[in-house]
Amino acid sequence: MKTAVIYYSRHHGNTKKVLDAIARGRDVTLIDAAETHSAPLEDYDLIGFASGIYYSKFQKSVLQFAEEHLPEGKKVFFVYTCGAEKPTYTGAIRKIAAEKHAEILGEFGCPGYDTFGPFKLVGGIAKGRPNQGDLSDAVRFFEQITE
């Protein structure tokens, strides 16, 4: 299944580590939303959106990319890394996908090392994450939604 993942991963590269594990040996194109502002997504069977979590949602460039370029009716999935998990992180991206009549196949989230804002004062949270177990879980998630 030809897959594109539009992502943003800057702070510690946590999300990119997860995506690299998913993409290894598969037909997956990674598109950095900070560097690429347009892509022919209609050419892909499956489209992912991935981001570290910023103020409880996906980074703005990923949300904007989805709003502007997600074709109607595509199969989509979401991947995120975060300092602390909450069940509402995908609310904004899910809303965009619903407006585009996309079929949401699932989401994967895991902790990621976070030194943003006040966490810097205590040396960060979720140290050592994503770890090998998180990466293996991400690959299993991707394999399940593409079976």
Side-chain angles (χ1 to χ4, degrees):
M1 184 174 291
K2 188 175 178 185
T3 303
V5 181
I6 295 78
Y7 75 95
Y8 182 90
S9 181
R10 289 293 179 277
H11 195 51
H12 291 287
N14 298 320
T15 303
K16 182 72 162 58
K17 289 175 193 172
V18 172
L19 296 177
D20 286 343
I22 289 172
R24 196 169 297 117
R26 294 177 180 83
D27 188 11
V28 176
T29 302
L30 301 179
I31 301 168
D32 187 336
E35 297 177 6
T36 305
H37 304 289
S38 178
L41 296 182
E42 53 279 336
D43 296 342
Y44 293 92
D45 305 307
L46 178 61
I47 300 169
F49 294 96
S51 176
I53 297 301
Y54 299 88
Y55 302 105
S56 296
K57 60 185 168 188
F58 275 48
Q59 203 273 342
K60 288 179 184 180
S61 64
V62 174
L63 296 173
Q64 183 175 352
F65 200 105
E67 284 178 338
E68 294 176 4
H69 303 291
L70 177 61
E72 291 279 327
K74 285 291 185 173
K75 293 180 180 181
V76 299
F77 67 97
F78 313 120
V79 173
Y80 63 88
T81 57
C82 56
E85 293 195 55
K86 293 181 185 175
T88 58
Y89 290 147
T90 59
I93 192 76
R94 280 180 171 277
K95 182 177 182 226
I96 294 166
E99 290 169 356
K100 302 280 188 156
H101 308 288
E103 179 184 350
I104 300 171
L105 300 184
E107 65 182 65
F108 175 82
C110 71
Y113 181 48
D114 187 355
T115 57
F116 192 76
F119 299 130
K120 187 174 187 175
L121 299 173
V122 295
I125 59 174
K127 294 178 185 174
R129 306 291 291 274
N131 59 29
Q132 191 55 50
D134 298 322
L135 302 180
S136 295
D137 290 346
V139 169
R140 267 193 300 283
F141 160 77
F142 186 74
E143 289 172 346
Q144 287 173 350
I145 66 168
T146 56
E147 288 179 338

